[in-house]
Amino acid sequence: MRLQSSFKRPTAKNCSASAPQRWADPQIEVQTVTDAEDLRLTLGDAPSSDRETMRIKLRIDYAFIACYVTLLASLGLARKGIVGVAAAIAAIAAGVFDVLENLAIADVLDVKIAATTETMLAAIRQPATAKWSLVAVSVVLLLVSQVRGKSRS
């Protein structure tokens, strides 16, 4: 029951951000916006408390980026062979794209919805897509290196 409640969509009662359209987390919602209306539904128009909340979440996200890149890269480098090195490189690249995504989100936070361009939204979406893809590649490579190591033992 407790786990199920963590997947519910936020409401005005339990979240300071506007109710996302596709994802339960407004930060992930911003990464996948398709147009200015999606952004308005998620963050409201500038200035808003939702945008200030997103600013705080972005600052916290930089620490999270450092943590997951360090973890995945260390795990990759701890594995012997090219697969582990490739996993570490993918993790570092994911971190770079995550920082680019955060910088693009920060740029949009001060812009009114009417002034938001498709280029601004693409500057968020494209690094986010690359980040998630590279994180998946890194994890799969780590799993492959682990399975290879077990089968050789």
Side-chain angles (χ1 to χ4, degrees):
M1 182 71 166
R2 186 170 174 84
L3 180 64
Q4 184 182 18
S5 67
S6 66
F7 291 110
K8 290 182 180 175
R9 286 185 175 262
T11 63
K13 291 181 232 169
N14 64 6
C15 181
S16 64
S18 300
Q21 303 304 300
R22 293 177 297 272
W23 304 96
D25 181 10
Q27 194 161 3
I28 295 175
E29 183 74 26
V30 170
Q31 295 173 27
T32 61
V33 293
T34 56
D35 56 24
E37 180 62 13
D38 271 355
L39 189 65
R40 186 193 65 75
L41 290 171
T42 305
L43 294 177
D45 205 354
S48 74
S49 61
D50 293 338
R51 288 175 180 242
E52 292 309 311
T53 300
M54 183 61 67
R55 233 182 272 287
I56 294 167
K57 288 181 177 187
L58 286 176
R59 289 187 189 114
I60 294 168
D61 194 38
Y62 287 113
F64 178 69
I65 293 167
C67 290
Y68 83 75
V69 168
T70 301
L71 174 67
L72 293 175
S74 298
L75 289 172
L77 294 174
R79 304 298 305 166
K80 293 180 181 169
I82 190 75
V83 177
V85 173
I89 291 170
I92 293 166
V96 169
F97 280 109
D98 204 349
V99 168
L100 292 174
E101 167 205 315
N102 283 358
L103 292 172
I105 292 171
D107 286 345
V108 167
L109 291 178
D110 293 324
V111 177
K112 293 213 171 271
I113 292 296
T116 304
T117 65
E118 177 56 35
T119 305
M120 292 172 151
L121 300 177
I124 297 170
R125 260 193 328 268
Q126 291 168 350
T129 302
K131 170 194 70 176
W132 288 111
S133 299
L134 287 164
V135 166
V137 165
S138 182
V139 170
V140 168
L141 288 172
L142 287 170
L143 290 171
V144 166
S145 70
Q146 181 66 25
V147 169
R148 278 186 174 176
K150 293 271 185 191
S151 65
R152 290 182 183 167
S153 301

